[in-house]
Amino acid sequence: MASGEVAPPVAAPRIRSEWIERFGGQMLALVASLAIALAIGSLLIVGYGESPITVYGAILRSSLGDLDGFGYVLAIATPLIFSALAVAVCFKAGLFNIGVEGQYLVAMVTAAWAAVTLDFLPGPVHVVVILVAAMLGGMIWAAIPGILKVKTGAHEVVTTIMLNGIAISLLAWAIRSPLKFTSGPTGQNVDIRTDNFPDSALIGDMGKMFGIGPGAHLSWLFPLGIAAAIVVWFLLRRTRLGYEARAVGTSQGSAKAGGISIGSTQLRLFLISGALAGLVGMQQILATTGYLGSNYVAQLGFTGIAVAFLGQNNPIGIVFAAILWGILSRGEVALQIKTQVPREFIIILQGILIMSVVITYQIAKRRLAARQLQRAGAAGALEDSAPTVEPEVATQGES
């Protein structure tokens, strides 16, 4: 290095230390939020005259006490992973997709159509075609509020809520008319559902490989959900679209000044969100029931919003949040059988947990930002106080 030159600062260790600090702060916030939720829940349990250790022990034993219980937990978490990912994709750009509920209902209709009409396809191909049909159904339904948002400025919360109601009616019409059950005897066709799907349309049972009973209905959709979370993480953190989404979500004015097409970014994210929402109902119709009926599990889209908040809209965090939600949901059965605490306690505990996570994460984020600002100010003051090294200048007559 020539005399007078100053070595450039090495940024990698600082970036690594900041990442470790941020990750440590998030983990500490998560542990703190769990402790707060369990503490408040313990007070409620004592109010019911039960022991917190007994109640929490019953929940954990029913969920994690054996392989079947854990299989149920993962099966419950599977649709919630897709639902929460669909919410998180839009939320990164400042969009609040309340329409995941309607999008997965429409997707179940398109998937059921592919299942009963394309039964001539071989098993693996048939399943793939059904999943694609479901994703297309979700994308089409998500494109409506996306286009309205971009072209007219209509708020996505209003349009998606309205479309949710239309989707419910559309599904009811489909299973009563074009997809109506036709395999029953004449005069006894009373079931409001589709025909049973052929075996080629069903998702295989993954649980039997690990000794989990068939009653858990743990399918290969769970690893597909994990793969989707990894893909979404890569999309949001390592691609141009992810950068544009974060820029639009942070400041639309700055994003527009930087040459980003806000409308194009928002519409693309709506389509991706709709594709993910299309996979929410596949656990029901392709792994649990084998048909689409009027007794489908509803509210998965709205539950996905809660899981997304619980996972702080981080795709990897969403997987763990969905599993935690599955543990609590599975624990409802144990509460009714082994304790006097009503099942509604689980709903209360879930709400307390979400509020605790949101509050503790915000506190941790503000403290981290304050430390980084203080560190940056200290570094700037140190740089200003450092002596300036002037390069040596050769004078005339020197050799």
Side-chain angles (χ1 to χ4, degrees):
M1 182 181 298
S3 176
E5 291 185 2
V6 179
V10 181
R14 186 179 62 186
I15 294 175
R16 189 180 301 114
S17 63
E18 290 179 356
W19 183 87
I20 294 174
E21 184 180 13
R22 184 182 300 110
F23 178 77
Q26 291 176 347
M27 292 302 298
L28 182 61
L30 177 60
V31 173
S33 61
L34 285 173
I36 292 172
L38 293 177
I40 298 176
S42 297
L43 296 177
L44 296 176
I45 293 172
V46 171
Y48 280 108
E50 292 278 349
S51 168
I53 297 177
T54 301
V55 173
Y56 290 142
I59 293 174
L60 291 178
R61 282 193 299 271
S62 66
S63 303
L64 307 176
D66 53 34
L67 288 176
D68 284 357
F70 188 58
Y72 276 103
V73 168
L74 297 183
I76 294 172
T78 298
L80 298 181
I81 293 174
F82 293 114
S83 180
L85 288 175
V87 174
V89 165
C90 280
F91 196 78
K92 284 296 182 182
L95 299 170
F96 207 5
N97 184 9
I98 308 292
V100 174
E101 180 77 13
Q103 290 152 23
Y104 91 80
L105 295 182
V106 172
M108 286 200 297
V109 173
T110 57
W113 173 85
V116 298
T117 60
L118 304 178
D119 55 350
F120 56 87
L121 295 174
V125 176
H126 197 190
V127 171
V128 172
V129 170
I130 293 171
L131 295 179
V132 171
M135 295 173 69
L136 288 175
M139 291 175 67
I140 291 172
W141 210 246
I144 299 174
I147 293 174
L148 291 175
K149 174 73 173 180
V150 173
K151 297 298 183 180
T152 68
H155 202 286
E156 68 276 6
V157 171
V158 177
T159 55
T160 51
I161 288 177
M162 296 299 102
L163 286 169
N164 286 342
I166 297 174
I168 295 173
S169 300
L170 179 63
L171 187 150
W173 168 80
I175 60 178
R176 282 176 170 82
S177 184
L179 297 177
K180 187 178 180 180
F181 179 68
T182 59
S183 300
T186 304
Q188 299 182 19
N189 185 12
V190 296
D191 288 349
I192 304 177
R193 65 179 183 90
T194 66
D195 289 329
N196 290 329
F197 298 161
D199 292 340
S200 60
L202 302 180
I203 300 289
D205 185 3
M206 185 185 75
K208 61 183 179 181
M209 296 179 57
F210 306 96
I212 299 175
H217 300 293
L218 178 60
S219 71
W220 291 100
L221 286 167
F222 177 72
L224 181 61
I226 296 178
I230 296 173
V231 171
V232 171
W233 177 88
F234 182 84
L235 174 71
L236 295 177
R237 304 301 303 182
R238 293 292 185 268
T239 66
R240 179 182 178 86
L241 178 59
Y243 167 77
E244 293 176 347
R246 298 195 307 272
V248 172
T250 302
S251 173
Q252 290 192 8
S254 300
K256 187 175 182 180
I260 296 176
S261 174
I262 296 176
S264 175
T265 301
Q266 291 176 334
L267 183 57
R268 283 183 290 171
L269 291 175
F270 257 112
L271 294 177
I272 295 173
S273 177
L276 291 168
L279 298 175
V280 172
M282 297 304 99
Q283 173 70 24
Q284 293 183 56
I285 64 176
L286 301 184
T288 303
T289 63
Y291 61 86
L292 173 59
S294 58
N295 59 340
Y296 59 87
V297 179
Q299 304 300 315
L300 290 176
F302 298 112
T303 306
I305 298 174
V307 173
F309 278 120
L310 189 59
Q312 288 296 291
N313 292 297
N314 183 298
I316 307 303
I318 282 172
V319 174
F320 292 101
I323 294 175
L324 176 59
W325 200 274
I327 291 174
L328 295 176
S329 298
R330 174 67 178 169
E332 289 186 16
V333 179
L335 290 183
Q336 298 178 68
I337 296 175
K338 299 180 179 180
T339 72
Q340 298 299 318
V341 178
R343 61 186 298 269
E344 286 76 16
F345 169 75
I346 293 295
I347 301 175
I348 297 173
L349 187 61
Q350 290 169 339
I352 295 173
L353 182 59
I354 293 173
M355 289 190 294
S356 300
V357 167
V358 172
I359 294 172
T360 53
Y361 266 85
Q362 288 299 321
I363 294 175
K365 185 184 298 184
R366 291 182 181 181
R367 293 187 63 180
L368 178 61
R371 283 197 297 268
Q372 291 177 343
L373 184 61
Q374 184 179 9
R375 192 182 301 120
L382 182 62
E383 182 179 347
D384 292 339
S385 62
T388 304
V389 180
E390 297 292 342
E392 296 180 359
V393 180
T395 60
Q396 290 184 358
E398 294 181 349
S399 57

